[in-house]
């Protein structure tokens, strides 16, 4: 789904209306997660499985870090988390190269590796996953509110952080310790419309007038 498409505009408007009609942070976050999944799966629904896999991996690593007190244990867990995240990225990014290098002749394995696409946004949510596990390892999990540390609530928090659609496929990469403390109840009356409108106009100008023309 392109940021300049009608589908994206409809998604943003519908999400905005539903979001501010809800009265609890939990349900507001749920709406944003649902919108993010729809956004990511819009053109290639199967890619949603990859995003869900990344969410589950980082949730499992984060949960283990929160439940472990031993420093040695934490170090092993965070190392595993970083390796899993980088391994996922490397598999999709370098599979065609491996296919051409090690399977030059036509073979089922070579054709499979060559056919693997580079999923959109994978670098962004991979490095955000690394930011999450590293921040938790460093003790910044204390910035989470107590309810967010429960398994189901933590899964919701991790999903929200990794899948947040406004920056899922175009960045910037947001560090966990900067993003997570912002998860709280939002009110319609608190919207700074002038700043929001200015940011939208500036962003669309840079995208449609500057970036798109430079690309051509």
């Amino acid at each position: 789904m392109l940021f300049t498409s009608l589908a994206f505009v409809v998604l943003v408007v519908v999400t905005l209306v539903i979001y501010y009609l809800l009265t609890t942070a939990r349900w507001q976050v749920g709406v944003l997660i649902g919108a993010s999944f729809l956004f990511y799966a819009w053109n290639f629904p199967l890619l949603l499985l990859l995003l869900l896999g990344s969410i589950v991996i980082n949730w499992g690593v984060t949960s283990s870090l929160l439940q472990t007190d031993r420093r040695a244990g934490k170090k092993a867990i965070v190392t595993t988390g970083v390796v899993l995240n980088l391994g996922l990225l490397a598999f999709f990014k370098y599979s065609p190269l491996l296919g051409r290098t090690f399977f030059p002749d036509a073979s089922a394995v070579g054709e499979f590796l060559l056919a693997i696409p580079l999923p959109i946004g994978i670098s962004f949510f991979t490095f955000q996953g690394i930011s999450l596990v590293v921040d938790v390892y460093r003790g910044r999990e204390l910035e989470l509110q107590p309810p967010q540390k429960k398994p189901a609530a933590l899964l919701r928090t991790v999903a929200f952080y990794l899948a947040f659609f406004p920056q899922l496929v175009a960045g910037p990469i947001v560090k966990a310790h900067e993003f997570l403390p912002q998860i709280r109840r939002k009110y319609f009356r608190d919207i700074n419309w002038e700043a929001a409108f200015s940011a939208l106009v500036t962003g669309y100008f840079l995208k449609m007038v500057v970036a798109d023309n430079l690309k051509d």
Side-chain angles (χ1 to χ4, degrees), residues 1-9 39 203-205 207-209 212:
M1 185 184 295
L2 298 175
F3 291 129
T4 55
S5 66
L6 177 61
F8 180 75
V9 175
F39 170 80
Y204 273 104
F205 174 81
K207 170 68 174 76
M208 301 177 70
V209 178
D212 287 353

Side-chain angles (χ1 to χ4, degrees), residues 15 21 42 70 77 112 120 170:
T15 302
L21 286 176
W42 185 259
R70 295 184 300 106
I77 293 170
F112 170 74
I120 187 170

